[in-house]
Amino acid sequence: MAALSHLFIDAQHGLCNRLRAMASAAVIARATGRQLVVVWRPDHHCQARLADLLDYPGPVIEDDSADRFRARATRVYNYMEIEPGSAYGAAVLGGTDPGGDVYIRSAYSLTSHLTSMAQEQLFLRRLVPSQPVWDLVQSVPHPSDVAAHIRMATGPDFEHLSFESSANWPAERHRELTEWRQKSDVSRFVDRLSRAFDQGARHAFVAADLAATYSALSDRFGTRLRFLPRDSYDRSARQLQYALADLMLLTTAPLLLASHWSSFSDVAQRLSRPFHRVERSGIDF
């Protein structure tokens, strides 16, 4: 009997970057009869282990032993643009499948004729949160009438944080990120939430990356605002549990106000049900 081949997904950057890469890889692995192996190494972008966040039943590698599998793989793909030899967006198994192990290093959804948005979303929706994450979700009344994800912390004021440093992206991509963060300023969301309340919304759930955002919204909307209180906004394991709980709560509202060009908002959109509406900052409001 032939040995089982594997598809290793070396998931990079923050929580939702990793989840998107996992979802693509899972669909490709299934389509090609390979076993998915998740390489989830905690680092400055994401200090949480996968088990801190999900009850995930598949094989996971959390240390540099994964590099041995990369060296022996039949095909290697690297989507990380700032790394030597990378090829962002390269078609995964686009020609004849050579068999054997495939190793992919990515913070992004993968390009392949073997995957589809519908299958990736199905994978994401089947993920099971860990008990600490579930406890956080249950601590907030839900669903709310509207939900908002406000992503502002990118640019010169935040580049002292290693996970926001411009060194993480090519210069053009970082400029693009910064421009879109400016378009997700809290003032846009205040205006849009005010209209939602005027139109009959009773409560809004908000997930944000700055304490000042919560303060501004609380001052304006008082008890109509729902959120998960916290005292830190770092990338620690506990804060990543808060982030995943935020993500789940965002998807329960029939209207999501998203920060465009944010992986977090993107995954929230993917997890939202088809009958839920999504509006994007800088585009729809």
Side-chain angles (χ1 to χ4, degrees), residues 133-154:
V133 173
W134 184 244
D135 290 343
L136 288 170
V137 172
Q138 293 302 102
S139 72
V140 178
H142 62 278
S144 297
D145 300 305
V146 59
H149 171 234
I150 307 175
R151 177 74 162 96
M152 293 174 59
T154 296

Side-chain angles (χ1 to χ4, degrees), residues 8-12 37-41 43 60-78 80 83 101-106:
F8 297 86
I9 179 63
D10 190 344
Q12 292 292 301
V37 180
V38 178
V39 180
W40 187 289
R41 290 180 264 206
D43 60 16
V60 179
I61 298 174
E62 298 180 325
D63 57 29
D64 291 343
S65 64
D67 294 339
R68 298 200 302 270
F69 296 101
R70 178 178 182 172
R72 296 200 296 261
T74 303
R75 289 277 176 87
V76 176
Y77 300 88
N78 186 358
M80 305 307 293
E83 297 180 0
D101 291 346
V102 175
Y103 193 102
I104 308 169
R105 181 173 169 86
S106 181

Side-chain angles (χ1 to χ4, degrees), residues 152-207:
M152 293 174 59
T154 296
D157 292 340
F158 302 96
E159 289 182 5
H160 63 285
L161 302 170
S162 62
F163 48 85
E164 295 292 351
S165 169
S166 60
N168 291 309
W169 302 275
E172 182 179 349
R173 183 175 291 273
H174 187 255
R175 282 195 300 272
E176 196 170 32
L177 284 170
T178 302
E179 289 172 4
W180 281 106
R181 294 292 181 266
Q182 292 169 349
K183 294 178 182 179
S184 63
D185 186 82
V186 65
S187 60
R188 288 181 184 264
F189 287 86
V190 167
D191 291 344
R192 183 62 186 90
L193 286 170
S194 294
R195 284 193 281 125
F197 286 127
D198 289 343
Q199 294 165 358
R202 295 163 297 172
H203 295 97
F205 176 79
V206 173

